Amino acid sequence: MSDIAQLTSSQLSSMYEVMCKSQALELRILKGMRSGEFATIIWPARGQEAVAGALSLALRPDDRLITTYRGLHDHVAKGVPLVEIAGEVLGTSVGACKGKGGTMHIAAPEQGLMMSTGIVGSGLPVGVGLALAARFQKSDRVTAVTFGDGATNTGSFHEAVNLAATWKLPVVFVCQNNLYAEMTPVEETMAIPHVADRAKGVGMPGITVDGNDPVSTYLAIRGAVDRARAGEGPTLVEAVTFRFEGHYAGDQMKYIPAEQLEEAKKHDPMITFRETLLSHPEITEEHLAAIEARAAQEVDEAVEAAKAAPQPDAAEIERDVYAERLVAGNV
């Protein structure tokens, strides 16, 4: 684990709170699904919480984020209200998209979460477009795009990183490399040791970092964000981590060797980061317990509110399809 002295106790606590909320939300949804309390689908990211903690601290509120269907932790990181995430997962009207997007397509532009993609690799070109828009608008806003290792084998990845590097756009590419592209191990999909090595081919920096260490991941992403904001172009950050659940909720994970999963769980960021935090002179057991209890309570309240909310009205089917025309004098 990195030297936590590089961050304040407030920053460390903030990251841990995001990680706790991410874990609590996912576990609460899985509990509801497995008990028959409600029916839905999620693509778990349990084990990848450190990346969310890092993103939450590295990005400004007005920065943009594009994530994937395995992105509930990223939604929490960008500040999307828990009830809006839970509402979308359960398909009720309090969802960020009024219950019409579902788990795979959550978006909350007010918080800078511009899109969650359901097609592997499809978010990268959109992120490049958002970065180009910031340049046209003469804004110092930065766009971050998160994706898995499997996305780096798609044409859209290579086209996006090439254009971003060529035009020096303010975008940070964050690969959450959990070592499996759905059910396929990463060593069967590429011949190079690190996803970050792909950056060399387009002439931009590539960094590989321990994705189970939120401090190291934060420092890497923050450095890339600062570089992008200064007009120096994009960076590819590879956060090497692991997912402790299957590709989708209910996946039996027979393709993951038991010994590999057991070894990965020894590096569970929720456990290792907590142990590291307790070495900080200003952080106590009581402080962390309070964060954990608050996260669990907020998640429970959000899920209950989402369950109690009505489903979207039938009239919603025709809303939010086209942009509303701005009429002079009535904007």
Side-chain angles (χ1 to χ4, degrees):
M1 190 70 65
S2 291
D3 182 6
I4 58 175
Q6 298 180 76
L7 279 71
T8 67
S9 60
S10 176
Q11 289 175 314
L12 293 167
S13 296
S14 177
M15 284 204 296
Y16 187 61
E17 183 166 5
V18 166
M19 292 169 64
C20 286
K21 287 181 179 179
S22 300
Q23 180 192 39
L25 178 61
E26 186 165 296
L27 293 180
R28 176 65 181 88
I29 293 170
L30 288 172
K31 176 183 176 182
M33 293 173 63
R34 289 166 178 168
S35 67
E37 179 184 359
F38 47 72
T40 185
I41 181 66
I42 64 169
W43 291 264
R46 175 74 265 276
Q48 299 176 213
E49 294 89 352
V51 181
L55 283 169
S56 71
L57 205 60
L59 298 177
R60 289 190 330 208
D62 64 322
D63 286 335
R64 306 301 195 226
L65 177 66
I66 299 278
T67 184
T68 72
Y69 52 82
R70 196 183 311 284
L72 295 185
H73 60 319
D74 292 341
H75 305 156
V76 176
K78 203 61 182 74
V80 182
L82 292 173
V83 67
E84 294 188 14
I85 302 173
E88 208 56 46
V89 172
L90 299 184
T92 59
S93 58
V94 294
C97 303
K98 305 175 187 176
K100 298 183 289 185
T103 306
M104 191 175 272
H105 300 293
I106 296 176
E110 296 82 1
Q111 283 77 38
L113 176 68
M114 306 309 290
M115 185 170 71
S116 301
T117 66
I119 300 175
V120 174
S122 64
L124 288 108
V126 179
V128 171
L130 289 168
L132 181 60
R135 173 173 292 176
F136 285 157
Q137 295 165 350
K138 301 187 184 305
S139 168
D140 69 344
R141 186 177 66 238
V142 171
T143 297
V145 187
T146 77
F147 46 92
D149 48 283
T152 68
N153 298 311
T154 66
S156 55
F157 166 84
H158 292 279
E159 292 178 13
V161 297
N162 180 64
L163 188 62
T166 302
W167 289 355
K168 291 189 175 181
L169 295 175
V171 57
V172 178
F173 300 105
V174 181
C175 176
Q176 300 191 41
N177 183 359
N178 61 25
L179 306 185
Y180 281 84
E182 297 188 355
M183 290 88 168
T184 307
V186 66
E187 61 269 18
E188 295 184 13
T189 64
M190 65 182 197
I192 55 177
H194 301 292
V195 166
D197 292 342
R198 296 190 187 277
K200 299 174 185 177
V202 297
M204 70 175 178
I207 304 168
T208 298
V209 66
D210 179 1
N212 295 323
D213 180 347
V215 177
S216 292
T217 306
Y218 160 71
L219 293 173
I221 295 176
R222 177 59 190 270
V225 167
D226 289 347
R227 182 174 180 274
R229 212 180 303 282
E232 298 175 14
T235 304
L236 173 58
V237 178
E238 175 191 14
V240 181
T241 180
F242 204 85
R243 66 165 205 257
F244 300 154
E245 296 281 345
H247 169 53
Y248 55 87
D251 176 5
Q252 298 300 303
M253 303 171 61
K254 293 181 178 179
Y255 49 88
I256 298 181
E259 58 274 16
Q260 183 185 31
L261 181 59
E262 181 181 0
E263 179 62 28
K265 287 186 175 181
K266 294 178 182 178
H267 307 284
D268 184 339
M270 298 305 303
I271 297 174
T272 57
F273 189 46
R274 192 184 200 282
E275 292 172 346
T276 301
L277 288 176
L278 288 173
S279 69
H280 193 287
E282 298 177 14
I283 297 177
T284 65
E285 171 65 36
E286 292 73 22
H287 176 67
L288 297 184
I291 289 175
E292 292 156 7
R294 184 167 60 249
Q297 180 179 351
E298 291 180 11
V299 164
D300 283 342
E301 291 174 352
V303 171
E304 290 304 315
K307 285 170 53 182
Q311 292 185 336
D313 186 271
E316 284 291 339
I317 197 169
E318 295 183 354
R319 295 186 184 133
D320 306 313
V321 179
Y322 299 102
E324 295 183 10
R325 293 184 61 183
L326 298 180
V327 180
N330 185 27
V331 296

